[in-house]
Amino acid sequence: MKRTAIIIYLLTAIMLSWSTDIHAQVTDQQGVLPKDNTPSQIVDNQGNFLSRLEQKLSRMTEEEQAYARANWLVAPSTYTNNHAHPASYIIAPNPAPDTQTTFECSGCSSAYLLRFFGEEANGVELFHQPSFPCKHEEGAFPRCFKVLFEEQHKNFSTAYYTGTTDDLKNAVSQGVPVIVLISNGKSLHYVPVVGYDESNFYIQDSVERYRNVANNTAYNRSIDINTFDKMWNIPLESCQRLFVMVNKTN
């Protein structure tokens, strides 16, 4: 079904808002995610997830729609491969990830990049600071990275892109971890991608239960490329295969 740009943007904002509610429903009392988010369940849950967002969309006012567009989102550009990339690549060395306690993946991903560039930061503490931008209850909208790195820290640049898994490999091969937004079927999750090969993407995940690689300092989670693409292919324009590149300007 066709949608205007504003509806697409608004759906994205609502999706991020609702992810907090849905995420809360599937956490235990300690705020830890369950182990039942298998690839097949991720795909099966997606349709119901978006249906619920549609219902919330119909209740938003024009003023709320305008606010969503101005304050929560960044329209991604289409990525263009600018160099030949190798068949496999791992960014090393790279920092150890923080472990989130509830919904701090945006803060953990931000702090991960700050540490990569040599600045001290703790993701959980960063997220809970009053100054952390673009928060909604216990989540954060995609614009948070632009505000944090460009306006608060000032000596960084951000670029928001959409593309293919090959484009993402190309971006990672430039040597800086790339933040992506993926869907776990019942919630959204920001993670830094630190490597790839012909079969998998490699991630430093801040959610302990999602980690499936032990005794490896370079990455703690491996996702096969086909599954990753399904998780990454959030069917809303400004979230669909979204990745954020951060670079230090001075």
Side-chain angles (χ1 to χ4, degrees), residues 9 73-77 143 160-161 237-238 242:
Y9 274 95
L73 305 166
V74 177
S77 302
R143 186 176 286 272
Y160 287 63
Y161 292 110
E237 183 177 314
S238 57
L242 175 68

Side-chain angles (χ1 to χ4, degrees), residues 11 31 33 38 51 60 70 73 78 95-96 99 110 118 160 169 175 202 210 241 247:
L11 273 173
L33 294 168
T38 63
S51 177
M60 294 190 74
L73 305 166
T78 300
T99 299
S110 299
Y160 287 63
K169 289 180 178 182
Y202 300 108
Y210 288 162
R241 295 188 173 96
N247 280 290

